[in-house]
């Protein structure tokens, strides 16, 4: 376990994710998702999924969390968790891994059913902002 990981209150993060999952707008899938993260300034951010009659327009919980990060002043995500309505841990979908990479980078800690891993492990050989500078 990395030293900075010891400071992360994963129980509080999971509990916040569980709470916000109750606000999910999921008339189509009936599959609520809640996400929670800490930013580098200590802010706690949450997000839930918001579905749409145009199914592909659905916003994942991670989208709403990243919007909260940016609208709340920006910063970097340092620790992230995501749960389904039953409280079980979920790993982010492919698109959301890219979102998390943008706003947390390789070192972002992600809680998964297999334990805490880094974003670099969640999204190996990621495409990112630095690739645009070639
Ligand atoms: N969902 C998320 O919110 N995050 C994920 O990482 C996986 C999927 C949502 C989208 C949709 O509302 C529901 O879960 C079923 O796919």
């Amino acid at each position: 376990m990395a030293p900075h990981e010891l400071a992360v209150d994963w129980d509080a993060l999971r509990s916040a994710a569980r709470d916000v999952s109750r606000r999910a707008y999921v008339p189509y899938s009936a599959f609520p998702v809640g996400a929670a993260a800490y930013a580098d300034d200590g802010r706690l951010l949450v997000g839930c999924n918001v579905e749409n009659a145009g199914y592909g327009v659905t916003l994942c919980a991670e989208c709403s969390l990243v919007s909260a990060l940016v609208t709340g002043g920006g910063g970097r995500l340092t620790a992230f968790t995501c749960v389904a309505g039953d409280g079980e841990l979920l790993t982010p979908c492919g698109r959301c891994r890219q979102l998390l990479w943008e706003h947390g980078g390789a070192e972002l800690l992600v809680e998964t059913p297999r334990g805490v891993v880094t974003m670099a492990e969640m999204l190996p050989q990621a495409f990112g902002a630095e690739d645009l500078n070639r």
Side-chain angles (χ1 to χ4, degrees):
M1 197 182 288
H4 56 296
E5 193 182 327
L6 295 172
V8 178
D9 187 346
W10 291 104
D11 288 343
L13 217 50
R14 225 176 298 115
S15 167
R18 183 95 197 252
D19 286 349
V20 75
S21 75
R22 298 191 180 101
R23 297 192 191 149
Y25 176 76
V26 288
Y28 306 107
S29 73
F31 189 79
V33 178
Y38 290 117
D40 53 0
D41 63 357
R43 241 146 82 229
L44 171 67
L45 302 154
V46 295
C48 62
N49 49 340
V50 181
E51 297 187 341
N52 192 283
Y55 296 164
V57 183
T58 287
L59 304 176
C60 284
E62 293 87 339
C63 300
S64 128
L65 183 147
V66 165
S67 294
L69 173 74
V70 174
T71 56
R76 302 287 290 169
L77 299 174
T78 58
F80 171 89
T81 197
C82 186
V83 298
D86 61 3
E88 293 297 313
L89 288 170
L90 286 178
T91 50
C93 76
R95 178 177 179 275
C96 291
R97 291 180 197 204
Q98 185 70 28
L99 267 183
L100 293 171
W101 183 271
E102 181 81 19
H103 297 279
E107 302 303 316
L108 170 62
L109 298 173
V110 181
E111 189 179 38
T112 80
R114 296 184 194 171
V116 175
V117 301
T118 62
M119 253 330 279
E121 291 170 277
M122 290 293 288
L123 191 62
Q125 301 192 47
F127 175 84
E130 59 283 0
D131 292 303
L132 297 174
N133 297 326
R134 289 182 177 174

